[in-house]
Amino acid sequence: MSLLSVLVPLLRVYYIGLRVILHQLRRRLHPRCPPAPVFPTQDGKVAIVTGGAKGIGYQTVKHLARLGMHVIIAGNSESEGQEAVKKIQEETLTRKAGVMLVPERKTEDGFEEHFGLNYLGHFLLTNLLLDILKQSGTHSDNARIITVSSATHYVGKLQLNDLQSRCSYSPHGAYAQSKLALVLFTYQLQHLLTANGSHVTANVVDPGVVNTDLYKHVFWVVKVVKWMTAWLLFKTPEEGASTTVYAAVSPEMEGAGGCYLYNEQRTKSADIAYDEELQRRLWTESCKMVGITDKSIRVP
């Protein structure tokens, strides 16, 4: 492994992170103060939130529960999930799963951890739920799939011949690749749903740079800077969840799919994410990796 193969992804990730932080700072210092969105109640609807026990996921669960949704928390720890449910119930009575920059290691199924947890797990879960989602969606009330990516996808490189990063591992490169894969997956999913005439939409959101516990593996210097400046430069988990909630329940997003959302607005993702051939190739390879076929998405 060359030093360059490690440094280039590192510099790209911190560069895009700095850009997002400066954008967030400008918004905080010069707020436009738009009125807080008022969403309709969601009684009778069901949401599954991965990583809903803490951070952005927890705030998403809390907001959706307050709107009357029946929310299912999917995560890696049952005890954390139960504790989150207890806290939300207490708050209601008186509302994302992933890893970042971890050292090289594998999931129980043998996948590189960033690619396995951040992307493949969501890819498989979505495909397993597609039949139910298709049955649930109607012409006037589409079922919605929301995937959480990040601005690091702008500097991500998809290595189709080495998705497991076996040849040259960089935690920054692997993380950015997993986030780019989520955007490519969402666009291909929406294309297939539209082609099948399904009343299901798929969108991807960017929560921004958020003050969560995902930063445990960054350099100690970054940890110190985060500790000193997060109150000003970083979004709170509640602020980070706002775009996810918007995508899930806003009437403005009814019937709209294949969108990249940031700060509750549709915006442009990385140019490479619109490469339809790359979308198809990633989809095909992902199906092989998790043991399903493209037929799983077709309308019965």
Side-chain angles (χ1 to χ4, degrees), residues 158-281:
L158 195 75
Q159 306 294 340
L160 275 173
N161 296 324
D162 187 26
L163 292 172
Q164 304 283 6
S165 302
R166 293 191 178 103
C167 295
S168 178
Y169 182 78
S170 157
H172 299 81
Y175 177 71
Q177 175 181 247
S178 70
K179 293 301 180 179
L180 174 59
L182 289 169
V183 183
L184 289 159
F185 152 69
T186 301
Y187 291 167
Q188 175 66 0
L189 174 60
Q190 183 59 54
H191 172 74
L192 294 169
L193 290 168
T194 301
N196 289 329
S198 302
H199 298 306
V200 183
T201 59
N203 292 297
V204 58
V205 305
D206 176 357
V209 178
V210 186
N211 189 12
T212 68
D213 60 0
L214 277 178
Y215 297 86
K216 63 180 67 176
H217 295 289
V218 298
F219 295 124
W220 69 268
V221 175
V222 178
K223 289 181 180 179
V224 172
V225 173
K226 175 181 176 290
W227 177 76
M228 296 175 62
T229 64
W231 64 275
L232 176 64
L233 302 179
F234 286 39
K235 288 184 177 181
T236 65
E238 184 173 5
E239 291 171 333
S242 63
T243 303
T244 306
V245 175
Y246 172 83
V249 301
S250 173
E252 296 177 7
M253 294 303 298
E254 180 57 44
C259 301
Y260 186 85
L261 302 169
Y262 176 59
N263 287 333
E264 291 120 54
Q265 294 181 344
R266 303 180 199 190
T267 188
K268 188 176 181 295
S269 61
D271 290 338
I272 191 66
Y274 299 104
D275 185 330
E276 294 183 1
E277 176 62 22
L278 188 60
Q279 295 168 14
R280 287 191 291 268
R281 292 178 64 190

Side-chain angles (χ1 to χ4, degrees), residues 14-169:
Y14 284 113
Y15 165 73
I16 198 68
L18 180 60
R19 286 188 59 180
V20 174
I21 287 174
L22 292 176
H23 181 264
Q24 291 178 179
L25 179 60
R26 286 197 299 270
R27 284 173 57 90
R28 185 156 292 175
L29 296 178
H30 303 285
R32 297 179 181 178
C33 297
V38 178
F39 300 123
T41 57
Q42 304 293 312
D43 295 336
K45 295 185 177 181
V46 179
I48 299 176
V49 180
T50 59
K54 51 189 176 181
I56 298 172
Y58 174 80
Q59 294 298 328
T60 301
V61 171
K62 187 164 68 173
H63 278 77
L64 296 179
R66 285 175 178 170
L67 290 171
M69 266 191 174
H70 177 76
V71 185
I72 300 170
I73 296 176
N76 300 321
S77 170
E78 182 177 355
S79 61
E80 287 183 353
Q82 294 291 352
E83 182 63 26
V85 170
K86 181 180 178 181
K87 286 171 60 179
I88 291 168
Q89 288 175 336
E90 290 174 350
E91 292 178 15
T92 303
L93 293 176
T94 33
R95 124 175 173 70
K96 134 191 170 198
V99 293
M100 184 173 77
L101 308 185
V102 297
E104 186 173 10
R105 59 195 188 196
K106 296 180 179 179
T107 66
E108 292 183 4
D109 297 312
F111 299 117
E112 187 278 316
E113 192 161 354
H114 288 100
F115 198 75
L117 291 183
N118 290 355
Y119 168 67
L120 278 179
H122 294 80
F123 176 87
L124 178 59
L125 177 62
T126 301
N127 276 277
L128 293 176
L129 293 172
L130 271 179
D131 285 342
I132 295 175
L133 289 167
K134 291 173 186 175
Q135 295 167 14
S136 302
T138 65
H139 177 73
S140 59
D141 193 7
N142 284 199
R144 304 185 186 188
I145 300 169
I146 297 95
T147 300
V148 180
S149 182
S150 84
T152 55
H153 92 274
Y154 287 104
V155 295
K157 303 290 183 182
L158 195 75
Q159 306 294 340
L160 275 173
N161 296 324
D162 187 26
L163 292 172
Q164 304 283 6
S165 302
R166 293 191 178 103
C167 295
S168 178
Y169 182 78

